[in-house]
Amino acid sequence: MHPCSANSPAARLLESTLLTPADDCSHFVLMAIETIGEAFALGWRVMVRCSHSREDGAHSKSSRECTYRKELDMETLVCTRGRAFPLSRLESRLRCPRCGGRNLVVLYQPPANTTAVRHP
Ligand SMILES: [Zn+2]
């Protein structure tokens, strides 16, 4: 069991969609930002949400869906993964600390323009 499967088809698919502008794109703002180092420099926030849900009725004891949510510390991510770590890989590396599932959805939140931005 290898938790770090960098060559998984899902990771490759994510990367390819990042590199090539899709036709129906633009609901995600990832086009200009590809690494967590860039996102950190721009003050982005990262939220993760567990999307684990029962796939079948096999595990009836844990039938409740996991609703784990957490804001990740972008600075810690950069420290542990490195500035050049691609945003597209982050999702596949994460696991839910509550249910152990790997169905975490990563939500990137660019800083809003309306909030008080201090210009030097
Ligand atoms: Zn979970």
Side-chain angles (χ1 to χ4, degrees), residues 6 22 28 33 35 40 55-58 85 91 100 105 109-110:
F28 247 57
I33 307 295
T35 67
F40 173 62
E55 296 175 355
D56 50 16
F85 192 85
E91 197 169 73
V105 176
Q109 296 182 337

Side-chain angles (χ1 to χ4, degrees), residues 43-54:
W44 282 28
R45 299 167 66 192
V46 183
M47 301 280 299
V48 295
R49 177 172 57 87
C50 183
S51 62
H52 177 72
S53 60
R54 46 198 168 149

Side-chain angles (χ1 to χ4, degrees), residues 50 52 66 68 96 99:
C50 183
H52 177 72
C66 180
Y68 179 81
C96 176
C99 71

Side-chain angles (χ1 to χ4, degrees), residues 5-16:
S5 56
N7 292 326
S8 69
R12 287 184 174 277
L13 182 63
L14 280 172
E15 281 187 354
S16 62

Side-chain angles (χ1 to χ4, degrees), residues 36 73-83 85 90 93-94:
I36 59 176
D73 186 3
M74 182 63 95
E75 189 171 0
T76 303
L77 284 174
V78 176
C79 288
T80 55
R81 302 301 187 188
R83 291 175 51 88
F85 192 85
L90 186 60
R93 294 294 182 90
L94 297 176

Side-chain angles (χ1 to χ4, degrees), residues 13 18 22 31 34 37 41 43 46 60 80 100 111:
L13 182 63
L18 271 182
M31 303 195 61
E34 294 185 2
V46 183
S60 58
T80 55

